[in-house]
Structure formats: structure tokens, C-alpha cells
Amino acid sequence: MGSLTAYLIQRLRDTGQLNSTIVVETTDMGHADKHGGSDVPYLLAGGGGAINTGVTTPVGASYHNHALLYTAAQICGVTFDTGREIPGIRV
């Protein structure tokens, strides 16, 4: 993941804002050399203890990229009529 994301997370931590923020980083390439859409990495940080840390969740092709945004929204208390939460992320 990017150094700018690491910088953002550190600045949020230093200013005491990380616990009330969820940082989401993703890409649309799981394997850039093959331009593949499988095994796409996601990073979630912050959340004030609402996110399990150090978790790797191999969801495979059964979840769409939007499921990550749905999961982050659920953690923030936002509900939608449609969507699927990725298991193992929320505490």
C-alpha cells in the first residue's frame, strides 16, 4: 500500500483523530502484471476499536469491491437497503 496512506494514518494518529476515522485504501488490480481482478488488497485503519486489527479475510470472488465500502459504512453506523458485510472485519 502507499506511503501517502501511511503518512495519513500517522498524522491522524498524531492528532488524535484516528479513533474517529476509518481509512480505506484499495486498488482495482489484484495482480497488476496480469491485470487481474482477483486477490485485490484492501486496507482498513482506524475505527476506534470497531475493526479487528491484523486480519486477513480471504473472501475470494464471492464478494464485490462494494462490500468493503458497505462494511465500512456499517461500522460507522450507516445502513443501506442493499449490500453484504465482509465477515471478520467488524469487532
Side-chain angles (χ1 to χ4, degrees):
M1 295 294 177
S3 61
L4 290 176
T5 302
Y7 174 78
L8 171 65
I9 292 168
Q10 187 59 51
R11 290 288 297 147
L12 289 168
R13 181 180 291 130
D14 292 346
T15 59
Q17 299 176 72
L18 186 59
N19 284 339
S20 61
T21 306
I22 293 180
V23 177
V24 177
E25 182 178 12
T26 187
T27 179
D28 60 349
M29 292 286 175
H31 193 292
D33 292 342
K34 296 179 182 178
H35 294 277
S38 61
D39 295 328
V40 175
Y42 299 104
L43 174 113
L44 284 168
I51 299 173
N52 282 318
T53 59
V55 173
T56 301
T57 304
V59 296
S62 62
Y63 286 86
H64 189 274
N65 295 353
H66 294 143
L68 178 68
L69 299 176
Y70 179 86
T71 301
Q74 293 291 305
I75 292 167
C76 292
V78 177
T79 58
F80 296 104
D81 293 335
T82 61
R84 266 175 55 177
E85 185 171 330
I86 298 174
I89 294 176
R90 187 195 316 215
V91 172

